[in-house]
Amino acid sequence: MIRLLGLHKSFPRQTDEQSSGHSLSVSDFEIQAGERVALVGASGSGKTTLLNLMSGLILPDQGSVEVDGVDITQLKESARDRFRARTIGYLFQTSHLLPGFSALENVELGASFAGRAVDRDRAKSLLDAVGLGHRHHHQPQQLSVGQQSRVALARALVNRPKVVLADEPTGALDPESGKAALKLLLDTAGEENITVICATHDAGVASVLDRTVRVEELQ
Amino acid sequence: MKLPRLIARNLRRRPLTTALTSFSVALGVGLFAAIGALRHGAEQGFQRSASLCDMVVGAKGSSLQLVLNSLYHVGTSPGNVPFSLYEEISGTTGVLWSVPMAVGDSYAGSRIVAVTDDLFEALEIPDYGKLRLASGNAFAFSKEALVELHHELEEHHHEEDEEAEEHHEHHEHHEHHEHHEHEESEESGTEEEEHHAHDEELHHLIEEHQGLFVAVVGSEAAAASGLQVGSRFTPAHDVSGGAGQEQHEEAETEVVGVLEPTGTPLDRAIFIPLGAFYLIEGHQPTEESEFGGARDPLGLSSILVRSKPGFYSLSLWRSWNNRLDAQAARPADEIRNLFQVVGNVDAILRLVAALVVVVALIGVLVAIYNTMGARRKEFALLRALGAHRATVLTMVMGESAAIAAIGALIGMLLAGAGVWVASGKVHSMVGVAVTVLPGWDEIQLLLAVTAVGAIAGLVPAWNAYRTEAAHHLSGQL
């Protein structure tokens, strides 16, 4: 499903930072369809960078990123955007819901840029599935942090993605809420054969996934 | 979710900013549109009234004053033309119709215009047709009746003049007579008797023509004065409308008809037969009167003329303007010239209003630009969800354009309301109906302001376009 080959990405030193620039190299890394992989490593090891490379939000200096048989480094930016909208679901450490938009509208946003009609019924059923059936029209500020993260989960799944990239998805939640959110993600992923790549510091999260990969070991 | 819905939601998220920036655009656009619409509407209204006739023939002087006084009932008449000119004009080849006019009296602030019944029969108002009565009937007073009465009055006054002259000669002859004092008392007795006789004759004339003391009232004059069919009123001598006006007590007049509204200055006037005007006591010639000149009491204030078009119109206009005792003014030209002068002021006002719009649009730019820092994560999220950079750019430009468009629409409504209020004022001042319907100009203005609004949004939109999603996707929105 995902293959990173001969990948190198370096970041120049920022003018306002004292630190020197850093880089990420991956010689060959492959993830199978439907596999659930935990990316672990120290802070600054490149977990988020790796997710951004897999989503096509940033491009490597060298090497290729193949997702679902497509080398996204060879696509033009607009084609990469469309590919991301159709193929990838994104989960962030914080829910990143848009203020002013209801829970349902925030979920629909996840399928708004794929170039096809938004499936409102799926958006509703996903909200129902994450236990927010009675909160479709609530604004983000009317929801608890846990409820917001469940809305974000529904948004990541609404476009029927083949891959979900999750960056510390339970980082902002208490242990119970985190566990419940992770279970929801993995259950849905299992039902729809979605590949899940999860960057995490949490050994508990990593332990429930199929495979754990240390970023430092990919070089 | 479609882009327009995204834009609408983003505007609703910031209701105060959206309302204030839209309102500032609305003020500028409203001012700009109102000035243009009022000028355009007023010019159209004035031109509509100007087309009631082809020419106004009147005394030498300001041609604009002649037109404004004769057609719009504004200001004073430049003077009188001899009655014979009317007889000449009405018989000239190429003249389709002519309506003689005498002005100078008023009632309850409405001007009294003395005419023949040709006014009701000949006058055609554009997009309206001939004058129609809301109630009652028009009076009948034809050209022939006018000519006959005028000759009768002239004869009467000539006789009076001759007698006065004879009396003067007789007085000179006896000036050196020995019994001077005795004679003088006899003469003054004779003079009084003569005056008395003439007054009696005039009263006899008035009684004979009592049927002429009737009036047809314009719709607005009727509403303002409360006159209706069957009402009686006494005309006041002069048009000042102030207190202490001299009343023509002997000329009590009955209203026989009220006109339907026409949207022209005719609505503000009270029409009486010219014959009645000449019979009113204060309009009688005195010993000092100069017949045939600009102050001829039995002359006319003006003559409205409709001529055959083309050659006839031009040659008649030239020939009447070559006269020493009269001029011919073309209302359409006079009003066009007037609005050319007004147009310069109008252009400056519109420039100021356009600057207000520009400043308001800069305000929109600044308002959106100020939100850019806080919205970077929002743009980054949209990019992570698959939105193109162009989509983000279009969204921000769309927000700016939408604020401008909303402002422009509100501005149009404000302008419409302003013009509606102002048109009432214009109508009450000069009787011209200013009607302004949204047309191509307003649509163009709306499109132009929206386009400029979109361009104003380009600066913050470019900022949004350049947002690197990967750099802004950590932390809270």
Side-chain angles (χ1 to χ4, degrees), chain A residues 52 57-58 77-79 81-82 84-85 90 92 94 96-102 105-106 108-110 112-113 118 120 148 155, chain B residues 1-2 5-6 9-10 13 377-378 380-389 391 465 468-477:
Chain A
N52 286 338
L57 274 178
I58 56 173
E77 190 178 45
S78 59
D81 293 336
R82 176 63 56 86
R84 183 165 60 250
Y90 234 124
F92 309 97
T94 51
H96 285 331
L97 299 185
L98 280 189
F101 291 74
S102 69
E105 286 170 335
N106 265 289
E108 286 178 342
L109 267 179
S112 293
F113 306 104
V118 175
R120 176 162 269 224
Q148 287 184 24
R155 183 179 63 195
Chain B
M1 191 178 288
K2 296 272 191 295
R5 202 160 153 214
L6 263 175
R9 282 303 157 96
N10 282 331
R13 270 167 59 191
K377 287 188 177 71
E378 172 191 332
L381 172 73
L382 295 175
R383 296 273 294 115
L385 296 176
H388 303 320
R389 285 182 192 275
T391 306
Y465 179 90
E468 288 301 340
H471 291 171
H472 295 93
L473 281 173
S474 57
Q476 290 287 346
L477 266 179

Coordinates of all heavy atoms in Angstrom, one line a residue, chain A residues 52 57-58 77-79 81-82 84-85 90 92 94 96-102 105-106 108-110 112-113 118 120 148 155, chain B residues 1-2 5-6 9-10 13 377-378 380-389 391 465 468-477:
Chain A
N52 N 3.8 13.6 6.9 CA 3.6 14.7 5.8 C 4.1 14.2 4.5 O 3.5 14.6 3.4 CB 4.3 16.0 6.3 CG 3.5 16.7 7.4 OD1 2.3 16.4 7.6 ND2 4.2 17.5 8.2
L57 N 1.9 16.3 1.6 CA 1.9 17.8 2.0 C 3.3 18.4 1.8 O 3.4 19.6 1.6 CB 1.5 17.9 3.5 CG 0.0 17.9 3.7 CD1 -0.3 18.0 5.2 CD2 -0.7 19.1 3.1
I58 N 4.3 17.6 2.0 CA 5.7 18.0 1.6 C 6.3 17.0 0.7 O 5.9 15.8 0.7 CB 6.6 18.3 2.9 CG1 6.7 17.0 3.7 CG2 6.1 19.4 3.7 CD1 7.7 17.1 4.9
E77 N 1.2 19.4 -7.9 CA 0.6 19.8 -6.6 C -0.9 19.6 -6.6 O -1.4 19.0 -5.6 CB 1.0 21.2 -6.2 CG 0.6 21.4 -4.7 CD 1.0 22.8 -4.3 OE1 0.8 23.8 -5.0 OE2 1.6 22.9 -3.2
S78 N -1.6 20.1 -7.6 CA -3.1 20.0 -7.6 C -3.5 18.5 -7.7 O -4.5 18.1 -7.0 CB -3.7 20.8 -8.8 OG -3.2 20.3 -10.0
A79 N -2.8 17.7 -8.4 CA -3.1 16.3 -8.5 C -2.8 15.6 -7.2 O -3.6 14.7 -6.7 CB -2.3 15.6 -9.6
D81 N -3.0 17.1 -4.3 CA -4.1 17.5 -3.4 C -5.3 16.6 -3.6 O -6.0 16.2 -2.6 CB -4.5 19.0 -3.6 CG -3.4 19.9 -3.3 OD1 -2.6 19.6 -2.4 OD2 -3.4 21.1 -3.8
R82 N -5.7 16.4 -4.9 CA -6.9 15.6 -5.2 C -6.7 14.2 -4.7 O -7.6 13.6 -4.1 CB -7.1 15.6 -6.7 CG -8.2 14.8 -7.2 CD -9.6 15.2 -6.6 NE -9.9 16.6 -6.9 CZ -10.5 17.1 -8.0 NH1 -10.8 16.2 -9.0 NH2 -10.8 18.3 -8.2
R84 N -4.8 13.1 -2.2 CA -4.9 13.2 -0.8 C -6.3 13.2 -0.3 O -6.7 12.5 0.6 CB -4.1 14.4 -0.2 CG -4.1 14.5 1.3 CD -3.0 15.4 1.8 NE -3.3 16.8 1.3 CZ -2.5 17.4 0.4 NH1 -1.4 16.9 -0.1 NH2 -2.8 18.7 0.1
A85 N -7.1 14.1 -1.0 CA -8.5 14.2 -0.6 C -9.3 12.9 -0.8 O -10.2 12.6 -0.1 CB -9.2 15.3 -1.5
Y90 N -6.8 12.2 7.6 CA -5.8 12.8 8.5 C -6.4 13.0 9.9 O -7.5 13.5 10.0 CB -5.4 14.2 7.9 CG -3.9 14.3 7.7 CD1 -3.4 14.7 6.5 CD2 -3.0 14.1 8.8 CE1 -2.0 14.8 6.3 CE2 -1.7 14.3 8.6 CZ -1.2 14.6 7.4 OH 0.2 14.8 7.2
F92 N -5.2 14.6 13.6 CA -4.1 15.4 14.2 C -4.1 15.2 15.7 O -5.1 14.7 16.3 CB -4.2 16.9 13.9 CG -4.4 17.1 12.4 CD1 -5.7 17.2 11.8 CD2 -3.3 17.1 11.5 CE1 -5.8 17.4 10.5 CE2 -3.4 17.3 10.2 CZ -4.7 17.4 9.6
T94 N -4.4 17.6 17.9 CA -5.6 18.3 18.3 C -6.6 18.2 17.2 O -6.3 17.9 16.1 CB -5.3 19.8 18.6 OG1 -4.7 20.3 17.5 CG2 -4.5 19.9 19.9
H96 N -8.6 20.1 15.6 CA -8.6 21.1 14.4 C -10.0 21.2 13.8 O -10.1 21.0 12.6 CB -7.5 20.7 13.4 CG -6.1 21.0 13.8 ND1 -5.8 22.1 14.6 CD2 -5.0 20.4 13.4 CE1 -4.5 22.1 14.7 NE2 -4.0 21.1 14.1
L97 N -11.0 21.4 14.6 CA -12.3 21.6 14.0 C -12.4 23.1 13.6 O -11.9 23.9 14.3 CB -13.4 21.2 14.9 CG -13.5 19.7 15.4 CD1 -14.7 19.5 16.2 CD2 -13.4 18.8 14.2
L98 N -13.2 23.3 12.5 CA -13.3 24.7 12.1 C -14.4 25.4 12.9 O -15.5 24.9 13.0 CB -13.7 24.8 10.6 CG -12.6 24.7 9.6 CD1 -13.1 25.1 8.2 CD2 -11.4 25.6 9.9
P99 N -14.1 26.5 13.6 CA -15.1 27.2 14.4 C -16.1 27.8 13.4 O -15.8 28.2 12.3 CB -14.3 28.3 15.1 CG -13.1 28.4 14.4 CD -12.8 27.1 13.7
G100 N -17.4 27.9 13.9 CA -18.4 28.4 13.0 C -19.1 27.4 12.1 O -20.1 27.7 11.5
F101 N -18.5 26.2 12.1 CA -19.1 25.1 11.4 C -19.6 24.0 12.4 O -19.0 23.7 13.4 CB -18.1 24.4 10.4 CG -17.7 25.3 9.3 CD1 -16.8 26.4 9.5 CD2 -18.1 25.1 8.0 CE1 -16.4 27.2 8.5 CE2 -17.7 25.9 7.0 CZ -16.8 27.0 7.2
S102 N -20.8 23.5 12.1 CA -21.4 22.5 13.0 C -20.5 21.2 12.9 O -19.7 21.0 12.1 CB -22.8 22.2 12.6 OG -22.8 21.5 11.4
E105 N -21.0 19.6 9.6 CA -20.3 20.3 8.5 C -18.8 20.0 8.6 O -18.2 19.9 7.6 CB -20.6 21.8 8.6 CG -22.0 22.1 8.2 CD -22.4 23.6 8.5 OE1 -21.9 24.1 9.5 OE2 -23.3 24.1 7.8
N106 N -18.3 20.0 9.8 CA -16.9 19.7 10.0 C -16.5 18.3 9.4 O -15.5 18.1 8.8 CB -16.4 19.8 11.5 CG -15.9 21.1 11.8 OD1 -14.8 21.5 11.3 ND2 -16.6 21.9 12.5
E108 N -18.3 16.8 7.1 CA -18.5 16.9 5.6 C -17.2 17.5 4.9 O -16.9 17.2 3.8 CB -19.7 17.7 5.3 CG -21.0 16.9 5.5 CD -22.2 17.8 5.3 OE1 -22.1 19.0 5.2 OE2 -23.3 17.2 5.1
L109 N -16.6 18.4 5.7 CA -15.4 19.0 5.1 C -14.3 18.0 4.7 O -13.6 18.2 3.7 CB -14.7 19.9 6.2 CG -15.1 21.4 6.2 CD1 -14.3 22.1 7.3 CD2 -14.8 22.1 4.8
G110 N -14.3 16.9 5.4 CA -13.3 15.8 5.1 C -13.5 15.2 3.7 O -12.7 14.5 3.1
S112 N -15.0 17.2 1.1 CA -15.4 18.3 0.3 C -14.5 18.6 -0.9 O -14.9 19.3 -1.8 CB -15.6 19.6 1.1 OG -16.6 19.4 2.0
F113 N -13.3 18.1 -0.8 CA -12.3 18.4 -1.9 C -11.9 17.2 -2.7 O -10.9 17.3 -3.5 CB -11.1 19.0 -1.2 CG -11.4 20.2 -0.3 CD1 -11.4 20.1 1.1 CD2 -11.8 21.4 -0.8 CE1 -11.8 21.1 1.9 CE2 -12.2 22.5 0.0 CZ -12.2 22.3 1.4
V118 N -20.6 15.1 -1.7 CA -20.4 14.7 -0.3 C -21.5 13.8 0.1 O -22.7 14.1 -0.2 CB -20.4 16.0 0.6 CG1 -20.3 15.6 2.1 CG2 -19.2 16.9 0.2
R120 N -23.7 12.8 2.6 CA -24.1 13.3 3.9 C -24.6 12.2 4.8 O -24.4 12.2 6.0 CB -25.3 14.3 3.7 CG -25.9 14.9 4.9 CD -26.7 16.1 4.7 NE -25.8 17.3 4.9 CZ -26.1 18.4 5.5 NH1 -27.3 18.5 6.0 NH2 -25.3 19.4 5.6
Q148 N -14.9 16.5 20.5 CA -14.2 17.1 19.3 C -13.3 16.1 18.6 O -13.3 16.1 17.4 CB -13.4 18.3 19.7 CG -14.3 19.5 20.1 CD -13.5 20.8 20.5 OE1 -12.4 20.9 20.0 NE2 -14.0 21.6 21.3
R155 N -14.4 12.8 10.6 CA -14.0 13.5 9.4 C -12.9 12.8 8.7 O -12.9 12.8 7.4 CB -13.5 14.9 9.9 CG -13.0 15.8 8.7 CD -12.6 17.1 9.2 NE -11.4 17.0 10.1 CZ -10.9 18.0 10.9 NH1 -11.5 19.1 11.0 NH2 -9.8 17.8 11.6
Chain B
M1 N -18.7 20.1 0.9 CA -19.2 21.4 1.1 C -18.7 22.3 0.0 O -17.6 22.4 -0.3 CB -18.8 22.0 2.5 CG -19.5 23.3 2.8 SD -19.0 23.8 4.5 CE -19.8 22.6 5.5
K2 N -19.7 23.0 -0.7 CA -19.3 23.8 -1.8 C -18.7 25.2 -1.3 O -18.9 25.6 -0.2 CB -20.5 24.1 -2.6 CG -21.2 22.9 -3.3 CD -20.6 22.6 -4.6 CE -21.3 21.6 -5.4 NZ -21.3 20.3 -4.8
R5 N -20.7 28.0 0.1 CA -21.2 27.8 1.5 C -20.1 28.0 2.5 O -20.3 28.6 3.6 CB -21.7 26.3 1.6 CG -22.7 26.1 2.7 CD -23.5 24.9 2.5 NE -23.9 24.3 3.8 CZ -24.0 23.1 4.0 NH1 -23.7 22.2 3.1 NH2 -24.4 22.7 5.2
L6 N -18.9 27.6 2.1 CA -17.7 27.9 2.9 C -17.5 29.4 3.1 O -17.3 29.8 4.3 CB -16.4 27.3 2.2 CG -15.9 25.9 2.6 CD1 -14.7 25.6 1.7 CD2 -15.5 25.9 4.0
R9 N -20.2 30.7 5.4 CA -20.0 30.3 6.8 C -18.9 31.2 7.4 O -18.9 31.6 8.6 CB -19.6 28.9 6.9 CG -20.9 28.0 6.8 CD -21.8 28.4 7.9 NE -23.2 28.0 7.6 CZ -23.7 26.9 8.1 NH1 -23.1 26.1 8.8 NH2 -25.0 26.6 7.7
N10 N -17.8 31.4 6.6 CA -16.7 32.2 7.2 C -17.1 33.6 7.5 O -16.7 34.2 8.4 CB -15.6 32.2 6.2 CG -14.8 30.9 6.2 OD1 -14.7 30.3 7.3 ND2 -14.2 30.5 5.1
R13 N -19.1 33.7 10.6 CA -18.2 33.5 11.8 C -17.8 34.8 12.4 O -17.5 34.9 13.6 CB -17.0 32.7 11.4 CG -17.1 31.2 11.6 CD -16.0 30.5 10.9 NE -14.7 30.9 11.4 CZ -13.5 30.5 10.8 NH1 -13.5 29.9 9.7 NH2 -12.4 30.9 11.4
K377 N -3.9 28.2 10.5 CA -4.2 26.8 10.8 C -5.4 26.3 10.0 O -5.5 25.2 9.6 CB -4.3 26.6 12.3 CG -3.0 26.7 13.0 CD -3.2 26.4 14.5 CE -1.8 26.4 15.2 NZ -1.4 27.8 15.4
E378 N -6.4 27.2 9.9 CA -7.6 26.9 9.1 C -7.2 26.6 7.7 O -7.7 25.5 7.1 CB -8.6 28.1 9.2 CG -9.8 28.0 8.3 CD -10.5 29.3 8.2 OE1 -10.5 30.1 9.2 OE2 -11.2 29.5 7.2
A380 N -4.3 25.6 6.6 CA -3.5 24.4 6.6 C -4.4 23.2 6.7 O -4.1 22.2 6.0 CB -2.5 24.5 7.8
L381 N -5.4 23.3 7.5 CA -6.3 22.1 7.7 C -7.0 21.8 6.4 O -7.1 20.7 5.9 CB -7.4 22.4 8.8 CG -8.5 21.4 8.8 CD1 -8.0 20.1 9.5 CD2 -9.7 21.9 9.6
L382 N -7.5 22.9 5.7 CA -8.2 22.7 4.4 C -7.2 22.1 3.4 O -7.6 21.2 2.6 CB -8.7 24.1 3.9 CG -9.8 24.7 4.7 CD1 -10.2 26.1 4.2 CD2 -11.1 23.8 4.8
R383 N -6.0 22.5 3.4 CA -5.0 21.9 2.5 C -4.8 20.5 2.9 O -4.7 19.6 2.0 CB -3.7 22.7 2.6 CG -3.7 24.2 2.2 CD -3.5 24.4 0.7 NE -2.2 24.0 0.3 CZ -1.9 23.0 -0.5 NH1 -2.9 22.3 -1.0 NH2 -0.6 22.8 -0.9
A384 N -4.7 20.1 4.1 CA -4.5 18.7 4.5 C -5.6 17.9 4.1 O -5.5 16.7 3.8 CB -4.3 18.7 6.1
L385 N -6.8 18.5 4.1 CA -8.0 17.7 3.7 C -8.2 17.7 2.2 O -9.1 17.1 1.7 CB -9.3 18.4 4.3 CG -9.4 18.4 5.8 CD1 -10.6 19.1 6.3 CD2 -9.4 16.9 6.4
G386 N -7.2 18.2 1.5 CA -7.2 18.1 0.0 C -7.5 19.3 -0.8 O -7.6 19.3 -2.0
A387 N -7.8 20.5 -0.1 CA -8.1 21.7 -0.8 C -6.9 22.2 -1.6 O -5.8 22.2 -1.0 CB -8.6 22.8 0.2
H388 N -7.1 22.6 -2.8 CA -5.9 23.2 -3.6 C -5.6 24.6 -3.1 O -6.4 25.2 -2.4 CB -6.3 23.4 -5.1 CG -6.8 22.1 -5.7 ND1 -6.2 20.9 -5.5 CD2 -7.8 21.9 -6.7 CE1 -6.8 20.0 -6.3 NE2 -7.8 20.6 -6.9
R389 N -4.4 25.0 -3.4 CA -4.0 26.4 -3.0 C -5.0 27.3 -3.6 O -5.4 28.3 -3.0 CB -2.6 26.7 -3.5 CG -1.5 26.0 -2.7 CD -0.1 26.4 -3.2 NE 1.0 25.6 -2.7 CZ 1.6 25.9 -1.6 NH1 1.2 26.9 -0.8 NH2 2.5 25.1 -1.1
T391 N -8.0 26.9 -4.3 CA -9.3 26.9 -3.6 C -9.3 27.9 -2.4 O -10.2 28.7 -2.2 CB -9.7 25.5 -3.1 OG1 -9.6 24.6 -4.3 CG2 -11.0 25.5 -2.5
Y465 N -2.8 31.7 0.2 CA -2.3 30.8 -0.9 C -0.9 30.2 -0.5 O -0.6 29.0 -0.8 CB -2.2 31.5 -2.2 CG -1.7 30.8 -3.4 CD1 -2.6 30.1 -4.2 CD2 -0.4 30.8 -3.8 CE1 -2.2 29.4 -5.3 CE2 0.1 30.1 -4.9 CZ -0.9 29.4 -5.7 OH -0.4 28.7 -6.8
E468 N 2.0 27.2 4.1 CA 2.5 25.8 4.0 C 1.8 25.0 5.1 O 2.0 25.2 6.3 CB 4.0 25.8 4.2 CG 4.8 26.3 3.0 CD 4.5 25.5 1.7 OE1 4.1 24.4 1.8 OE2 4.8 26.1 0.7
A469 N 0.9 24.1 4.7 CA 0.1 23.3 5.6 C 0.9 22.6 6.7 O 0.6 22.6 7.8 CB -0.8 22.3 4.8
A470 N 2.0 22.0 6.2 CA 2.7 21.1 7.2 C 3.3 21.9 8.3 O 3.5 21.4 9.4 CB 3.9 20.4 6.4
H471 N 3.5 23.2 8.1 CA 4.1 24.0 9.2 C 3.1 24.5 10.2 O 3.5 25.0 11.3 CB 4.8 25.3 8.6 CG 6.0 25.0 7.7 ND1 6.6 25.9 6.9 CD2 6.6 23.8 7.6 CE1 7.6 25.3 6.3 NE2 7.7 24.0 6.7
H472 N 1.8 24.4 9.9 CA 0.8 25.0 10.8 C -0.2 24.0 11.4 O -1.2 24.4 11.9 CB 0.1 26.1 10.0 CG 0.9 27.3 9.6 ND1 1.5 27.3 8.4 CD2 1.3 28.4 10.3 CE1 2.2 28.5 8.4 NE2 2.1 29.1 9.5
L473 N 0.2 22.7 11.3 CA -0.8 21.8 11.8 C -0.5 21.2 13.2 O -0.9 20.1 13.5 CB -0.9 20.6 10.8 CG -1.8 21.0 9.5 CD1 -1.7 19.9 8.5 CD2 -3.2 21.3 9.9
S474 N 0.1 22.0 14.0 CA 0.2 21.6 15.4 C -0.4 22.7 16.2 O -0.4 23.9 15.9 CB 1.7 21.4 15.7 OG 2.4 22.6 15.5
G475 N -0.9 22.3 17.4 CA -1.6 23.3 18.3 C -3.0 23.5 17.9 O -3.5 22.9 16.9
Q476 N -3.7 24.4 18.7 CA -5.2 24.6 18.5 C -5.4 25.6 17.4 O -4.6 26.4 17.1 CB -5.7 25.2 19.8 CG -5.8 24.3 21.0 CD -6.9 23.2 20.8 OE1 -7.8 23.4 20.0 NE2 -6.8 22.2 21.6
L477 N -6.6 25.4 16.8 CA -7.0 26.4 15.8 C -7.4 27.7 16.4 O -8.0 27.7 17.5 CB -8.3 25.9 15.0 CG -8.0 25.1 13.8 CD1 -9.4 24.7 13.2 CD2 -7.3 25.9 12.7

